[in-house]
Amino acid sequence: MEQTELQVEIPSVLKQTSCQNIKDFDCVDYGNGNNPNPSENAISDKESYGESIAAFKVTNLERQEVVLISLPASPSGLHIGQTKLVLHSEKCENTDQNDTKNPYPQLAKQKKFHSQPILVRENGDRKVVHSEAIRDHRFDPFKTWSGRLERQISNLRGKPTQEPDIEAGPSEREEIEEAPGVDRYFDALEGPELDALRATEVSVLPEDEKWPFLLRFPVNAFGICLGVSSQAILWKTLNTSPAMSFLHISPMPNLILWWAALALILFVSFVYLLKIVFYFEAVKREYHHPVRVNFFFAPWIACMFMALAVPPSIAVNLRPFIWYILMTPIFILELKIYGQWMSGGQRRLSKVANPSNHLSIVGNFVGALLGANMGLKEGPLFFFAVGLAHYIVLFVTLYQRLPTNAALPKELHPVFFLFVAAPSVACMAWAKIQGDFDYAARIPYFIALFLYMSLAVRVNFFTGIRFSLAWWAYTFPMTGASIATIKYTMAVTNVVTRSLSVCLSAISTFTVSTLLVYTIVHAFVLQDLFPNDISIAITRKKPKFSKMLSHFRSSSADSKDFDSSISKNSEI
């Protein structure tokens, strides 16, 4: 069988220059004697082609092949996983060798980049020759001081890290480092909770590989803590309520759920604290996200749930200073977010209103309930009044969605249960402040009960939805309605109220248990609970047409051509 070689004319400058003396030039040392002619390993850099092509010859006992590595057209997506391999065997002599002007027409319009780690064949297996100076820098713009510290340590060790891409202009680097405005989130994202990239947008991070875990860990993971901790309150209420004494509930479920919720809150808080330390820019983008910003209330609400659910065997009365510690960050967040709702601009309520805004309201009523349990008066009443005023405005804004507003995607339908959360907690807070479940407390309770029933009868509204963390929005509003029903049963005790309390409690417990099993399966078995968080990887400005065209080409046509070329060459 004849062996075919790819002959490329070498420029005179390269003939007189040793590649060993060129900085950052990847070289392969054929010290075993298989390739005695070094000129066959030279790389011809033709600027007319518009792209660097690394060509080298792989020799084995049976046949000789030439491997072409085509670098992608996007600097932001430059990594070895996107490298295209085209294997030319002896049949490559049938190609048109007369076209000397442009032998690679498919590469004519692509750009030129630096060489990447070379793929070599050794004993029939491919391996990657890595260079210590080559490191993935695409995630560096999202890092905080840890990224700078890493570069300083590398410099002290005498191994300076690679500088950022010099071909990217200052405006492009600024788009990555600065958080986008709220208009950009609505323009660039779609889907449940604005977490899917539109087809016309280009991500600043690679979409075809898994990101670091901290970048994929979202703030709405605290929704799991809300669901489990609220269940601890439910079982404590079932155990201590005189109206539910006929069930003979043991205090053990409350104790187990409380410790489980505590461990979960500590774990989620620790992981997100690491994200704040190492990827603060990603946290900053989540805070500017019109949906994610509301979940910054979730960790403090979960801590207040834990204070309300504390088992009697651990503590009976908590110190009031705990209430002041937990309500301080909620008060600071409310000053910021409520001010944006009222003052207008891009973040006015009529523009950013969505069901997750209820999380920023519920914190007022949960804080009022906790403070009243501790014996406080003025503080709980203050937060109850603030929450009531903003809940009325938010309820009207969300209820009368204008015809010009786009309908919420089906995957976001579970968050409609957040409508039930605020009035459920509000009725319990007022009953505790007033000392009796009077008519003023029953009004928000009946509102919550009606909203609960109006959502429960619409079964098709919540079917056919793929599992995601948004499902945990079912949990604590349903649990809150169950607890409020038990409190109402203590004021109005009869068969109907007791049956309703048992029914709602059973539905809530079943929902939380099912979601917990789903979460464990997707987290540890399927390992798809935390996909790439595309919502934080959008550009600050709309991408240029050239970038969008390159994105379309690399994601559609090029991938198809690459697959077809690989399949054809594998048959040779």
Side-chain angles (χ1 to χ4, degrees), residues 20 26 158 227 283 311 390 401 500 535 541 552:
Q20 306 291 340
D26 296 327
V283 177
H390 288 86
R401 294 183 63 84
L500 185 62
S535 60
K541 297 180 181 180
F552 286 137

Side-chain angles (χ1 to χ4, degrees), residues 269-389:
S269 300
F270 175 74
V271 174
Y272 201 78
L273 183 62
L274 291 178
K275 183 176 181 179
I276 294 175
V277 172
F278 292 101
Y279 294 98
F280 181 75
E281 291 301 324
V283 177
K284 183 179 178 181
R285 284 177 170 242
E286 282 192 296
Y287 179 77
H288 286 83
H289 195 281
V291 176
R292 297 282 182 85
V293 64
N294 300 289
F295 284 90
F296 283 88
F297 288 89
W300 313 107
I301 298 175
C303 291
M304 288 190 289
F305 281 169
M306 293 295 296
L308 290 169
V310 60
S313 59
I314 296 178
V316 178
N317 297 320
L318 298 178
R319 298 297 180 89
F321 76 89
I322 298 178
W323 182 84
Y324 290 102
I325 293 175
L326 296 178
M327 293 306 298
T328 299
I330 289 183
F331 180 69
I332 294 174
L333 287 172
E334 287 177 350
L335 288 178
K336 178 68 175 178
I337 295 177
Y338 292 177
Q340 292 174 345
W341 289 359
M342 181 178 60
S343 61
Q346 292 186 351
R347 297 185 177 274
R348 63 186 181 274
L349 183 60
S350 60
K351 185 177 183 63
V352 301
N354 60 86
S356 64
N357 290 128
H358 285 288
L359 286 172
S360 59
I361 303 295
V362 171
N364 293 282
F365 299 126
V366 177
L369 177 60
L370 178 61
N373 280 334
M374 294 180 175
L376 303 176
K377 292 294 183 181
E378 299 301 323
L381 188 59
F382 168 79
F383 280 100
F384 182 88
V386 173
L388 180 62

Side-chain angles (χ1 to χ4, degrees), residues 7 9 20 47 62 64 66 80 94 130 142 177 187 191 222 236 240 243 270 307 329 383 430 477 485 528 531 537:
Q7 302 293 337
E9 183 180 357
Q20 306 291 340
E47 297 181 355
E62 298 181 0
Q64 188 173 13
V66 176
I80 200 64
N94 297 330
H130 290 282
F142 291 90
E177 295 174 358
D187 294 339
F222 283 100
K236 179 182 179 180
T240 58
F270 175 74
F383 280 100
W430 180 256
T485 303
D528 60 353

Side-chain angles (χ1 to χ4, degrees), residues 72-353:
S74 173
S76 63
L78 189 60
H79 59 97
I80 200 64
Q82 291 180 339
T83 306
K84 299 180 180 180
L85 301 179
V86 182
L87 301 179
H88 294 270
S89 63
E90 290 79 9
K91 294 184 179 182
C92 68
E93 61 185 4
N94 297 330
T95 59
D96 188 5
Q97 299 179 355
N98 297 327
D99 189 5
T100 59
K101 295 183 180 180
N102 189 4
Y104 307 102
Q106 70 275 17
L107 306 176
K109 297 184 180 180
Q110 296 186 1
K111 297 182 180 179
K112 179 176 67 176
F113 304 105
H114 300 290
S115 60
Q116 290 294 296
I118 297 179
L119 294 175
V120 298
R121 184 181 296 272
E122 182 176 314
N123 298 328
D125 298 328
R126 283 196 193 114
K127 71 175 184 178
V128 180
V129 180
H130 290 282
S131 175
E132 293 183 357
I134 295 177
R135 189 175 63 85
D136 196 345
H137 294 268
R138 288 166 295 172
F139 303 102
D140 286 354
F142 291 90
K143 293 182 178 180
T144 51
W145 61 271
S146 62
R148 293 190 292 269
L149 179 62
E150 181 182 355
R151 290 190 291 269
Q152 292 294 334
I153 294 176
S154 299
N155 293 333
L156 291 176
R157 293 175 57 192
K159 299 178 181 179
T161 57
Q162 183 180 359
E163 296 297 329
D165 188 7
I166 59 176
E167 295 184 4
S171 60
E172 296 179 1
R173 291 193 294 268
E174 182 182 3
E175 289 180 2
I176 298 177
E177 295 174 358
E178 292 188 7
V182 66
D183 286 334
R184 277 297 298 150
Y185 286 102
F186 286 111
D187 294 339
L189 299 173
E190 61 183 358
E193 297 188 6
L194 295 178
D195 59 353
L197 197 68
R198 294 184 184 273
T200 57
E201 297 292 331
V202 179
S203 173
V204 298
L205 294 179
E207 303 178 44
D208 56 347
E209 69 178 56
K210 185 176 289 187
W211 301 352
F213 174 72
L214 293 179
L215 274 180
R216 294 184 287 111
F217 192 81
V219 67
N220 53 5
F222 283 100
I224 306 176
C225 304
L226 293 176
V228 178
S229 58
S230 61
Q231 276 292 300
I233 302 177
L234 173 62
W235 285 91
K236 179 182 179 180
T237 307
L238 289 172
N239 176 44
T240 58
S241 174
M244 309 302 295
S245 59
F246 69 96
L247 294 176
H248 303 288
I249 299 297
S250 171
M252 190 57 62
N254 167 239
L255 183 63
I256 296 175
L257 287 170
W258 190 85
W259 283 110
L262 179 62
L264 186 61
I265 291 175
L266 291 177
F267 173 75
V268 175
S269 300
F270 175 74
V271 174
Y272 201 78
L273 183 62
L274 291 178
K275 183 176 181 179
I276 294 175
V277 172
F278 292 101
Y279 294 98
F280 181 75
E281 291 301 324
V283 177
K284 183 179 178 181
R285 284 177 170 242
E286 282 192 296
Y287 179 77
H288 286 83
H289 195 281
V291 176
R292 297 282 182 85
V293 64
N294 300 289
F295 284 90
F296 283 88
F297 288 89
W300 313 107
I301 298 175
C303 291
M304 288 190 289
F305 281 169
M306 293 295 296
L308 290 169
V310 60
S313 59
I314 296 178
V316 178
N317 297 320
L318 298 178
R319 298 297 180 89
F321 76 89
I322 298 178
W323 182 84
Y324 290 102
I325 293 175
L326 296 178
M327 293 306 298
T328 299
I330 289 183
F331 180 69
I332 294 174
L333 287 172
E334 287 177 350
L335 288 178
K336 178 68 175 178
I337 295 177
Y338 292 177
Q340 292 174 345
W341 289 359
M342 181 178 60
S343 61
Q346 292 186 351
R347 297 185 177 274
R348 63 186 181 274
L349 183 60
S350 60
K351 185 177 183 63
V352 301

Side-chain angles (χ1 to χ4, degrees), residues 243 437 442 446 485-498 501:
F437 207 96
R442 297 178 190 183
F446 289 145
T485 303
I486 297 175
K487 297 293 184 181
Y488 175 71
T489 303
M490 295 173 61
V492 182
T493 305
N494 53 48
V495 177
V496 177
T497 55
R498 285 181 175 179
S501 299

Side-chain angles (χ1 to χ4, degrees), residues 460-503:
N460 295 332
F461 196 64
F462 301 100
T463 57
I465 305 176
R466 64 176 177 85
F467 176 79
S468 67
L469 288 177
W471 281 32
W472 281 97
Y474 279 114
T475 56
F476 89 92
M478 299 175 66
T479 306
S482 303
I483 300 172
T485 303
I486 297 175
K487 297 293 184 181
Y488 175 71
T489 303
M490 295 173 61
V492 182
T493 305
N494 53 48
V495 177
V496 177
T497 55
R498 285 181 175 179
S499 302
L500 185 62
S501 299
V502 173
C503 181

